[in-house]
Amino acid sequence: MRIAVGGLHIESSSYNPALSRAADFHILRGNDLLDAEDFAFLGRYQAEFLPTFHARAVPGAPIERATYDAFKAEILDGIARSRPFDGVYLALHGAAFVDGMEDAEGDLVAAVRDLVGPDCPIGASYDLHGNLSQRIIDGLDLFSAYRTAPHIDVAETMRRAVDLLVRRLETGDRTGLCWCPIPVSLPGEKTSTENEPARSLYARLAGIEKNPAIWDAALMVGYVWVDEPRVTAAAVMTGTDCAAMEKAAADLARAYWNARTDFAFGTETGPIEACIARAMQSRTHPVVLADSGDNPTAGGSGDRADMLRALIDAGATGVVFAGIADRPATEAAYAAGIGTTSTFRVGATIDTINSAPVPVTATVGFLHRTSDPADRMAVLDIGGIRLVVTARRRPFHDLADFRLLGIEPLETPIVVVKSGYLSPELAPIANPSLMALTEGIVDQAVERLPRRRTPRPTFPFDTDFDFTPKVFWSRRTRI
């Protein structure tokens, strides 16, 4: 059994004015793909996996068209050179947005299908925050998606997708694929599977799969910070019994629709000034305060300084702010050296349209030692605020991210991060957790963002309409 492997993984906000280029991606080619930690599980199968090309990036801006075209060409060329093979596995995110193109995954899946022909099965794994289209469904035979947010089942989902493909190849069973779009588009922070109603909705999936004719059940929240026609939640079924699959998809879609007004933020939220005041008044620590509108792991630019300005204006002390992506400020800190005091203009170096820099006088307190200029990070001491500036966009999700910079979050009264819901390491230490509903490219108040291409009506942009689930089939389904 020979299976070709490749893919593309990025979440791209169409509201981000920058572009993602090849340098922004971690690229795996050939055997480097098989040796990578993300794909190490492939070694457990009695199959030969044929690596092609995989590109993965931190969520961010639309992909430059030339970059996407080059990635696509490498994937197709790698698959063509891998012949003969019995199947194809595509590791995708589902929320790529290419400059000047809509439905990027649809374009890629269709191109792979055209290359391999109608008889070769294609399976895909997806982030539950990916968007689907009929074009994507038409090109696939098997589909699986994450079931947790925050995502702690990435490896499990990739294994499940490959399990489906191997099962089909071993049994010879012909699977069908159907989906039921749901006109709801909510931010991930309102649909975390750690909270209700998402927790119960996702718990239904294992029950659906108790029917041996349903090989996989998926529930897609979708990606809301993109303005294109495929923005939607969806229920997706892979299996061998059309009647059972159709009923399961419609029932799941109806349940999601019925719960639409029950979704809520799983933490205390408020305007930026109110959240800062709450943090400063807290008698318990560490307070972990999320700057949600500029979350780089959702597609934000990661360079907005609104939160920094508000912290300074409020006279906040005992604060660690990790961090703001600002390469010029980071390089200036390295040039100045530890212990020097200088004036810096922080922020608005990526999204220069929607934000403004904040001038500060700061002492360089720490410089991360690295041979790669792109990995440089500096700590600037601004009165009672220790600000981390970085040469590239990046999140601070793990305790080790802070400790690498000589910072101990557990001993810090207020920890500010550019995040939405907190990561599995930060959430347990937050005492309390606060999420500021800040403006930005990934504004949690999604109704504030312009919608010209998003289907209407869609909740929450529209509220006074009814929905009757309608299931659509892959044109490849003949079971």
Side-chain angles (χ1 to χ4, degrees):
M1 185 187 306
R2 290 164 57 86
I3 298 173
V5 181
L8 175 64
H9 194 284
I10 186 175
E11 203 170 60
S12 309
S13 171
S14 63
Y15 300 101
N16 195 322
L19 289 175
S20 297
R21 297 181 170 86
D24 298 307
F25 288 81
H26 177 59
I27 295 173
L28 298 171
R29 294 181 172 92
N31 288 333
D32 286 344
L33 187 154
L34 297 182
D35 294 337
E37 182 178 354
D38 287 350
F39 292 92
F41 74 95
L42 295 176
R44 66 193 283 260
Y45 296 93
Q46 296 299 312
E48 182 181 0
F49 290 92
L50 312 168
T52 63
F53 175 94
H54 188 270
R56 183 187 186 102
V58 172
I63 307 172
E64 177 192 44
R65 181 60 184 265
T67 296
Y68 169 76
D69 288 343
F71 288 176
K72 175 183 170 183
E74 280 210 58
I75 293 171
L76 296 177
D77 182 62
I79 292 173
R81 287 188 288 104
S82 297
R83 288 187 172 111
F85 46 76
D86 303 294
V88 176
Y89 165 52
L90 297 176
L92 305 171
H93 179 287
F97 184 82
V98 176
D99 187 34
M101 172 193 291
E102 292 178 338
D103 194 7
E105 280 86 3
D107 178 76
L108 179 59
V109 169
V112 173
R113 172 56 65 197
D114 288 344
L115 175 65
V116 303
D119 299 325
C120 177
I122 302 175
S125 58
Y126 240 61
D127 189 309
L128 64 86
H129 297 131
N131 292 323
L132 288 168
S133 68
Q134 188 63 42
R135 191 180 190 192
I136 295 169
I137 296 294
D138 281 343
L140 298 176
D141 299 281
L142 312 113
F143 180 89
S144 195
Y146 303 169
R147 296 176 177 179
T148 62
H151 307 315
I152 58 174
D153 66 334
V154 176
E156 177 185 338
T157 300
M158 295 172 74
R159 287 195 301 269
R160 190 167 61 244
V162 175
D163 284 346
L164 296 174
L165 182 55
V166 169
R167 178 181 175 186
R168 170 162 168 158
L169 292 173
E170 288 180 340
T171 64
D173 292 340
R174 189 172 188 91
T175 53
L177 190 63
C178 71
W179 73 309
C180 185
I182 312 164
V184 176
S185 189
L186 294 170
E189 282 67 22
K190 278 192 173 181
T191 53
S192 170
T193 58
E194 295 185 347
N195 306 315
E196 295 295 350
R199 178 189 296 166
S200 294
L201 286 167
Y202 277 85
R204 296 172 61 138
L205 301 183
I208 293 171
E209 292 173 354
K210 288 182 178 178
N211 183 336
I214 297 180
W215 289 21
D216 188 277
L219 179 58
M220 308 300 297
V221 169
Y223 180 63
V224 68
W225 293 293
V226 64
D227 186 22
E228 65 172 338
R230 64 173 177 150
V231 174
T232 185
V236 189
M237 300 291 153
T238 300
T240 57
D241 183 326
C242 286
M245 293 163 62
E246 184 164 9
K247 182 179 186 306
D251 288 350
L252 186 59
R254 187 178 293 107
Y256 192 90
W257 168 260
N258 289 341
R260 68 193 182 281
T261 59
D262 297 330
F263 290 101
F265 297 118
T267 189
E268 185 177 342
T269 64
I272 188 169
E273 293 82 5
C275 284
I276 290 174
R278 170 81 167 85
M280 293 172 65
Q281 295 162 5
S282 178
R283 296 184 178 182
T284 56
H285 303 105
V287 179
V288 182
L289 172 58
D291 178 2
S292 65
D294 196 32
N295 175 13
T297 62
S301 57
D303 72 329
R304 291 183 67 116
D306 312 62
M307 178 68 77
L308 175 63
R309 187 190 308 275
L311 287 165
I312 293 171
D313 289 346
T317 59
V319 177
V320 165
F321 186 172
I324 294 179
D326 188 325
R327 187 158 192 160
T330 304
E331 292 178 346
Y334 274 76
I338 294 175
T340 61
T341 300
S342 304
T343 299
F344 299 86
R345 287 173 57 84
V346 178
T349 60
I350 299 171
D351 181 0
T352 60
I353 298 174
N354 301 303
S355 62
V358 173
V360 298
T361 298
T363 301
V364 180
F366 186 93
L367 298 173
H368 172 51
R369 293 188 177 183
T370 176
S371 59
D372 185 351
D375 286 335
R376 285 181 168 180
M377 297 180 284
V379 179
L380 305 181
D381 295 327
I382 311 167
I385 301 170
R386 283 185 290 171
L387 171 69
V388 180
V389 290
T390 62
R392 60 181 174 88
R393 297 169 57 254
R394 57 154 297 166
F396 286 81
H397 279 173
D398 301 329
L399 298 179
D401 296 335
F402 295 86
R403 291 166 179 163
L404 184 65
L405 304 175
I407 296 169
E408 178 48 68
L410 294 173
E411 298 174 359
T412 303
I414 302 173
V415 177
V416 180
V417 290
K418 287 185 178 291
S419 183
Y421 49 61
L422 298 182
S423 68
E425 285 203 17
L426 291 184
I429 72 166
N431 190 20
S433 168
L434 304 174
M435 186 168 70
L437 301 179
T438 51
E439 295 183 359
I441 289 164
V442 291
D443 195 333
Q444 294 292 324
V446 295
E447 301 91 333
R448 295 194 294 209
L449 297 170
R451 297 280 163 177
R452 299 182 179 88
R453 300 288 292 158
T454 297
R456 308 299 290 270
T458 291
F459 182 86
F461 316 114
D462 309 285
T463 57
D464 187 17
F465 69 103
D466 296 322
F467 166 66
T468 300
K470 183 176 181 180
V471 176
F472 298 89
W473 292 89
S474 167
R475 66 181 182 182
R476 297 179 50 73
T477 298
R478 297 188 298 276
I479 57 175

